[in-house]
Amino acid sequence: ISQVSVPDLAGWKSLGELTPEEKANMESYLKVPLSAVDKKLFQSFLAGAVINAGSDESYFGRIMAILKSFGTYQYQLGFTDDVSVAHLVNFLTSTKNGDCTEFSNTAALLGRLAGIPSRVVTGYLASHSLQTPAHVRGLYVLQQSIPELQKYSLDDLMLVTTAHRHSWVQYYLPSYGWVDFESTAYAIPPPANMNPNNQTVIIPLIQPQKELAPVFQFPWLLVLQILMLLAVAVVVLLYLYRYGREAALALLARRGGKRGAWALYRVLLMRLAAAGYHLKPPTRTPLEYSESHPEIREFAAAYTRLRYRDQATDEEQSQMWSQLRQDYAAAIRVTKKSGLKEWLRRIFSLRGLYY
């Protein structure tokens, strides 16, 4: 769908020149990427087309003079990708034969030299006049395969192929904006037998494909992420359990008695393990374990007395408990090694979970 404006030819003929502000805004469309030699050649051609030909030198008159200057040039249907300056110079001075790309790019360069902002547009030229019986047959084949096309009659459809590729020039007209101009309008029409639009139209077969069963791909990345999250969660839980157990045992030890003594002994063993001491085998008694670690011998003796002495007065129990607390504090001071490395070991060690 397109909107086409009807040109006011009389208005175009009375156009004035660009204002300084328009020249500044259109600066990039007035640049001429030519060497001095090539620029002189294009300027010479422009002078012959406009001044020497006695054409109207007004703004719109210069546009028409450029287009009419191709009156002796042969237009060949097709589409060339080579738009180099050397190729355009050869077209302008030697072959005088080319397709839409040579005409449009040359017209744009001449327009800029004439002080007219110019640019080249490429696309496809869709027209009912370019639809051959081969195109109609191709549309029929496509219509049978594409349900969406079945909503329209063949007369309302056009088949656009690579043969319809086209290039043209746009000139900026003050008060109007960018306007399309067919740069081959005054060229010699192409020979009838050289129309690529008359070539065979190839329509690919469009057939519904069976949906293939999706290939299972093991989600390695997802599994790895889940395992990493589980590992982090396990580590966090272990540290929570370690410090939670130490806190619970320390709270239990405050109650005193044999149960409190047992809890205090467990806290000491956990802290010794965190400090790097050998773990106590279950078969060894506190006194036997203290033989390897003399620094806790006093605590082991006090713990054994309090834990296994059945007959003792309340005062004796209180004295033994007080002595156990003192020996515990002394054992902690002696076994607590200094230094950042030792501090980190005590903080992050999980060896105490053995107990």
Side-chain angles (χ1 to χ4, degrees), residues 26-332:
M26 292 292 154
E27 182 182 2
S28 60
Y29 296 105
L30 288 169
K31 291 181 180 178
V32 182
L34 297 173
S35 65
V37 175
D38 292 331
K39 186 175 182 179
K40 184 177 180 181
L41 187 150
F42 275 85
Q43 285 176 330
S44 176
F45 181 88
L46 180 63
V50 180
I51 301 174
N52 298 341
S55 301
D56 178 8
E57 296 185 35
S58 66
Y59 192 91
F60 184 69
R62 297 198 299 274
I63 293 177
M64 294 306 299
I66 292 172
L67 299 178
K68 290 179 179 179
S69 68
F70 297 135
T72 59
Y73 284 66
Q74 178 65 60
Y75 175 34
Q76 298 284 354
L77 292 176
F79 194 92
T80 304
D81 292 325
D82 186 359
V83 292
S84 63
V85 174
H87 184 71
L88 297 181
V89 168
N90 189 49
F91 161 75
L92 192 65
T93 61
S94 300
T95 64
K96 298 185 178 182
N97 186 311
D99 58 36
C100 56
T101 55
E102 285 88 356
F103 282 90
S104 61
N105 283 272
T106 302
L109 282 173
L110 293 171
R112 293 187 179 189
L113 286 171
I116 301 167
S118 310
R119 65 188 185 186
V120 175
V121 183
T122 58
Y124 293 84
L125 181 60
S127 169
H128 282 293
S129 62
L130 298 177
Q131 297 293 293
T132 67
H135 291 93
V136 177
R137 289 193 298 270
L139 282 170
Y140 176 78
V141 172
L142 290 172
Q143 200 176 45
Q144 307 310 306
S145 304
I146 304 176
E148 185 67 25
L149 295 181
Q150 297 170 11
K151 300 177 182 179
Y152 307 92
S153 68
L154 289 178
D155 293 336
D156 294 330
L157 298 172
M158 284 188 291
L159 182 62
V160 181
T161 70
T162 53
H164 296 130
R165 287 187 299 174
H166 195 52
S167 176
W168 61 96
V169 66
Q170 281 187 344
Y171 292 127
Y172 179 81
L173 303 186
S175 302
Y176 289 88
W178 290 104
V179 179
D180 296 307
F181 286 88
E182 178 50 62
S183 45
T184 64
Y186 294 92
I188 301 173
N193 61 344
M194 295 298 292
N195 189 350
N197 195 47
N198 292 327
Q199 297 177 357
T200 302
V201 176
I202 300 176
I203 302 296
L205 293 177
I206 301 177
Q207 298 176 345
Q209 299 290 328
K210 293 182 179 179
E211 292 188 6
L212 300 177
V215 178
F216 175 74
Q217 293 183 342
F218 191 80
W220 292 105
L221 181 59
L222 178 61
V223 171
L224 181 60
Q225 291 174 339
I226 293 175
L227 290 176
M228 290 179 65
L229 287 175
L230 289 176
V232 171
V234 169
V235 171
V236 171
L237 289 175
L238 287 174
Y239 278 107
L240 289 175
Y241 178 72
R242 174 206 159 172
Y243 286 103
R245 179 170 170 76
E246 283 189 18
L249 289 172
L251 186 63
L252 180 60
R254 291 184 179 182
R255 299 180 180 181
K258 295 184 178 182
R259 186 65 178 169
W262 173 86
L264 193 62
Y265 176 49
R266 282 290 182 274
V267 173
L268 178 62
L269 289 177
M270 292 179 69
R271 294 190 175 182
L272 289 176
Y277 280 73
H278 294 96
L279 299 177
K280 185 187 81 67
T283 56
R284 299 185 68 181
T285 66
L287 287 173
E288 290 173 338
Y289 181 63
S290 68
E291 292 177 359
S292 302
H293 305 290
E295 52 268 53
I296 66 168
R297 184 173 299 164
E298 295 299 328
F299 176 87
Y303 170 75
T304 302
R305 287 194 300 271
L306 180 61
R307 184 81 169 81
Y308 298 104
R309 184 176 177 180
D310 293 331
Q311 296 189 5
T313 63
D314 292 341
E315 183 179 354
E316 290 175 334
Q317 287 279 354
S318 177
Q319 291 176 352
M320 287 189 291
W321 176 252
S322 178
Q323 184 63 45
L324 182 67
R325 297 287 298 184
Q326 292 176 14
D327 293 338
Y328 169 81
I332 291 297

